[in-house]
Amino acid sequence: MTVLITGGTGQVGFELQRTLAVFGDIVAPTPEELDLADASAVERFLEQTHPTIVVNAAAYTAVDKAEEEPELAQALNADLPAQLANYCARQSAWLVHYSTDYVYDGAGESFRTEDHPVNPLSVYGKTKLAGDNAIEASGAQHFIFRTSWVYGARGHNFVKTMLRLGESKSELNVVNDQIGAPTTARLIAQVTSQALAQRNAANIGLYHLVCRETCNWQGFAQAIFQQASELGKALAITPQAVAGIPTSDYPTPAKRPLNSRLIVSKLEETFKLKLPTWQSQLQQVLEEMQSYGVL
């Protein structure tokens, strides 16, 4: 059995390569080996490798830059998932795909279920939604895992940015009116593995996959500094020196959803698991970074 992982050099892709090895031979082409925006190249690669499981961790994730490059965002976030889904439908293969909280408009304060109306505010969100819809319409056996605020011990992410800034700055302003659940790349990979082990026609579909409990970005930054300090990280800043500001004070080209609260009960009940809190996962990531000597 062959498992194709697109986006294998990213945060989630790295964890998937380690976690999914039990399902078969892992094929994870680098960007130099396969241009995922080239449909012809992707088709040839599929024909050569003939994967029985396709895990699409690739995406155009530069949210603000997508406003300037909608064609490339469309190619990677919508056209690629559609192509992979059509292959899986033809070959009776399984497809795993990762969606985003950006498909919702973030209105109100209620938690979203998987059937909550979607209304993306940005090119990134619109193209990701188009990819989700193409997969659902393809007839392929699939899991779509909708997640949020992804980070890990590797790659570029909010945690690493905060730690870098906290080494030299004694004060920081961080947005406090966007609410969501920080979610680790390793947890996403672990849940993917558990879902694939239980895959059948009855559990095909869309699931929210985020850590339990929510916070705003200010609270997340404060927790990063608090936990890092407890692990011995030398910082110029204290958690109390992180001030909260509204999103309106930090304008960006792409609009962000203010409310990314997602209900995870469907995932937990279907696959018989209990998702951890974001605080416990943050601790694990910081400890892993410390073990690598990068904290």
Side-chain angles (χ1 to χ4, degrees):
M1 184 180 293
T2 299
V3 180
L4 170 61
I5 299 175
T6 62
T9 58
Q11 296 181 102
V12 176
F14 175 85
E15 299 293 345
L16 287 168
Q17 289 194 60
R18 298 199 298 182
T19 306
L20 302 186
V22 296
F23 293 98
D25 297 326
I26 300 294
V27 178
T30 66
E32 293 74 25
E33 294 169 332
L34 177 61
D35 180 1
L36 294 171
D38 183 340
S40 297
V42 171
E43 196 63 35
R44 288 193 300 270
F45 195 88
L46 291 169
E47 292 173 359
Q48 292 166 2
T49 56
H50 201 70
T52 47
I53 297 175
V54 178
V55 184
N56 183 36
Y60 187 108
T61 57
V63 175
D64 290 323
K65 198 173 181 181
E67 299 295 316
E68 303 171 3
E69 297 183 333
E71 295 85 4
L72 185 55
Q74 173 72 23
L76 292 174
N77 293 344
D79 298 343
L80 174 64
Q83 183 177 13
L84 297 175
N86 289 333
Y87 164 83
C88 289
R90 294 194 309 268
Q91 300 297 328
S92 298
W94 272 81
L95 174 64
V96 180
H97 176 74
Y98 302 99
S99 182
T100 172
D101 57 308
Y102 277 64
V103 303
Y104 302 116
D105 61 16
E109 298 182 357
S110 62
F111 281 73
R112 269 76 167 140
T113 61
E114 287 82 354
D115 58 1
H116 188 92
V118 289
N119 184 31
L121 304 174
S122 63
V123 168
Y124 170 69
K126 291 174 182 176
T127 56
K128 288 293 291 181
L129 178 59
D132 297 353
N133 290 340
I135 292 169
E136 292 178 328
S138 69
Q141 302 172 107
H142 69 271
F143 296 132
I144 299 174
F145 294 123
R146 188 163 285 164
T147 189
S148 70
W149 297 21
V150 178
Y151 70 100
R154 294 170 181 77
H156 301 290
N157 54 60
F158 182 80
V159 172
K160 288 193 171 182
T161 298
M162 288 298 103
L163 290 172
R164 176 176 53 81
L165 293 174
E167 289 177 343
S168 58
K169 294 185 178 295
S170 59
E171 296 180 347
L172 281 174
N173 294 328
V174 181
V175 168
N176 65 357
D177 58 352
Q178 296 175 28
I179 310 296
T183 304
T184 63
R186 180 165 294 182
L187 176 65
I188 292 170
Q190 290 170 338
V191 171
T192 298
S193 179
Q194 293 184 51
L196 284 171
Q198 302 175 54
R199 65 189 185 279
N200 59 57
N203 57 28
I204 288 170
L206 167 68
Y207 298 88
H208 287 163
L209 196 179
V210 295
C211 283
R212 281 197 165 271
E213 301 190 13
T214 59
C215 63
N216 58 38
W217 289 109
Q218 177 197 16
F220 189 27
Q222 290 172 328
I224 292 166
F225 296 138
Q226 181 65 44
Q227 291 193 20
S229 296
E230 292 172 355
L231 289 172
K233 173 71 173 177
L235 294 169
I237 197 169
T238 65
Q240 295 74 26
V242 180
I245 61 171
T247 299
S248 57
D249 284 359
Y250 189 73
T252 56
K255 292 184 178 180
R256 268 71 172 168
L258 298 182
N259 175 21
S260 292
R261 299 173 176 92
L262 305 180
I263 295 175
V264 296
S265 56
K266 178 183 176 183
L267 177 77
E268 292 183 326
E269 292 168 4
T270 299
F271 300 109
K272 309 293 190 298
L273 53 84
K274 180 73 171 179
L275 293 170
T277 65
W278 67 263
Q279 295 94 329
S280 66
Q281 292 290 285
L282 173 61
Q283 183 76 21
Q284 287 186 14
V285 166
L286 292 175
E287 289 175 351
E288 182 180 359
M289 292 173 64
Q290 185 180 53
S291 72
Y292 296 149
V294 294
L295 179 62

